[in-house]
């Protein structure tokens, strides 16, 4: 009986895969081609944010001192910098935030999400053109730059409007709304 059940099951599976109603089994599918490696920035060129900050004479010494690879923790060997590309001025702009290495995953008020750094730990935020021209600077401890609904915004752990202030581009600079 057991042999009959196994044989029947094998025949049913073969019958289901045979040439029935225009479907024919032709063997295994060829291997899928490897997915292309993702581009570092699908919108355009990328920049070395650490080099931008180090070369900018208006960036504070405190921020520049933090521009070293982190020696430990979840981002060991990486710089404590988050970089995002957005079209804020009609061109691709670079939003850069700097935080201390020890702040990754630290408890605190709010979190930037991408880095897991509490908002209160950020050292500074900057907006540059991809050619390196600084468009905006925020060197407030405890605040970061982000983009909300296509507009530049600052977020802080405290303050009016839940710590959010928005800025719009007015042709030559960002202006608070």
């Amino acid at each position: 009986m057991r042999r009959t059940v196994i044989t029947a099951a094998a025949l049913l599976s073969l019958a289901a895969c045979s040439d029935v109603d225009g479907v024919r089994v032709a063997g295994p599918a060829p291997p899928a081609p490897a997915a292309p490696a993702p581009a570092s920035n699908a919108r355009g060129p990328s920049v070395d944010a650490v080099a931008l900050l180090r070369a900018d004479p208006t960036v504070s010494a405190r921020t520049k001192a933090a521009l070293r690879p982190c020696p430990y923790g979840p981002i060991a060997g990486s710089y404590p910098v988050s970089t995002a590309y957005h079209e804020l001025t009609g061109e691709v702009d670079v939003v850069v935030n700097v935080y201390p290495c020890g702040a990754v995953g630290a408890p605190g008020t709010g979190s930037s999400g991408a880095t897991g750094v509490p908002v209160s730990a950020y050292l500074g935020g900057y907006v540059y053109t991809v050619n390196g021209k600084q468009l905006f600077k925020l060197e407030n401890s405890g605040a970061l730059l982000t983009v909300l609904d296509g507009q530049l915004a600052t977020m802080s752990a405290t303050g009016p409007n839940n710590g959010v202030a928005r800025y719009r581009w007015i042709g030559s600079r960002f202006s608070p709304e």
Side-chain angles (χ1 to χ4, degrees):
M1 173 80 170
R2 183 174 171 185
R3 181 182 250 173
T4 307
V5 170
I6 293 173
T7 305
L11 287 173
L12 280 173
S13 67
L14 286 174
C17 295
S18 65
D19 189 324
V20 177
D21 294 331
V23 176
R24 183 165 50 149
V25 176
S40 62
N41 178 16
R43 294 184 184 174
S46 63
V47 299
D48 181 345
V50 173
L52 262 179
L53 294 167
R54 285 180 174 159
D56 187 340
T58 69
V59 172
S60 73
R62 180 177 181 219
T63 297
K64 287 183 178 182
L67 298 176
R68 291 187 217 126
C70 294
Y72 56 86
I75 63 165
S78 297
Y79 287 92
V81 172
S82 66
T83 305
Y85 297 85
H86 298 278
E87 291 183 13
L88 299 169
T89 63
E91 301 290 328
V92 177
D93 305 300
V94 186
V95 179
V96 181
N97 285 289
V98 181
Y99 49 89
C101 291
V104 178
T109 305
S111 173
S112 69
T115 60
V117 174
V119 171
S120 59
Y122 278 87
L123 302 174
Y126 309 85
V127 179
Y128 291 94
T129 66
V130 292
N131 296 325
K133 178 183 176 193
Q134 187 188 95
L135 302 174
F136 191 86
K137 176 173 83 170
L138 173 72
E139 287 187 325
N140 250 358
S141 289
L144 73 107
L145 292 179
T146 190
V147 175
L148 299 173
D149 301 323
Q151 287 184 303
L152 182 64
T154 60
M155 295 180 73
S156 63
T158 60
N161 300 320
N162 295 321
V164 176
R166 292 177 182 254
Y167 296 82
R168 63 185 166 87
W169 182 250
I170 57 170
S172 61
R173 64 183 175 85
F174 287 97
S175 176
E177 282 202 337

